[in-house]
Amino acid sequence: MTTTRHVARAVGVTSASAPQWRVELEAGAHHLVADEPTNMSGGDAGPTLFGLLLCGLAACTATTLRLFAGRKGWHLAAIEVNVVYNLADDERTSIVRTITVPSELRDDQRARLADVAERTPVTMAIRTGTPITTSIRAVETLTPRPTS
């Protein structure tokens, strides 16, 4: 028997009264806004949808590496994770991740961090293509959630 553990939950809501591309998001007790930039007819009120995906990858990478380094007793004053989502002319996509760490780390330590970065939970979810099950339910009236 397989046990399923809910790791995260998010809710996205848009309405006819909201700007066209704006989505109100809830993740736990946190309220966020997703939107498109003004050059894409959005209001630029929050990160783009791919921006949010990349934020999750960058945050997971940084926290996983900090945890790993701490367990090894390595001093990491800061970790910067820069992530870019690319779309080629032939429609192929790629993500480029650049991790910046203090120069005092040895080559073998940087190589170990690079190895760990390839196996973070969000990296694995993106890379393995997590299955998505979609269902649609109908309600008489969908009441938009209050916005802040």
Side-chain angles (χ1 to χ4, degrees):
M1 176 188 221
T2 301
T3 302
T4 301
R5 197 172 43 96
H6 295 286
V7 176
R9 180 176 183 270
V11 176
V13 178
T14 189
S15 70
S17 63
Q20 183 177 11
W21 304 115
R22 182 183 175 121
V23 178
E24 302 293 326
L25 301 166
E26 291 179 10
H30 305 284
H31 179 85
L32 306 128
V33 174
D35 202 353
E36 291 297 321
T38 54
N39 67 338
M40 299 291 288
S41 302
D44 204 21
T48 65
L49 307 178
F50 281 106
L52 289 167
L53 174 71
L54 296 178
C55 283
L57 178 59
C60 184
T61 301
T63 57
T64 301
L65 295 183
R66 169 167 269 164
L67 177 66
F68 178 81
R71 287 182 177 167
K72 293 290 188 180
W74 302 347
H75 175 69
L76 280 178
I79 301 169
E80 178 181 292
V81 181
N82 184 319
V83 190
V84 178
Y85 189 91
N86 295 312
L87 175 62
D89 292 338
D90 63 2
E91 300 296 313
R92 286 190 294 170
T93 59
S94 65
I95 295 174
V96 177
R97 173 174 49 191
T98 304
I99 302 165
T100 304
V101 296
S103 60
E104 62 261 12
L105 283 180
R106 299 184 317 265
D107 288 345
D108 64 309
Q109 291 172 315
R110 288 194 300 274
R112 188 69 179 112
L113 290 175
D115 180 55
V116 170
E118 292 301 316
R119 292 179 282 110
T120 71
V122 173
T123 299
M124 298 304 292
I126 292 170
R127 189 168 279 139
T128 61
T130 301
I132 299 172
T133 302
T134 302
S135 62
I136 296 182
R137 65 186 177 110
V139 296
E140 290 297 320
T141 304
L142 184 61
T143 306
R145 295 170 187 247
T147 61
S148 50

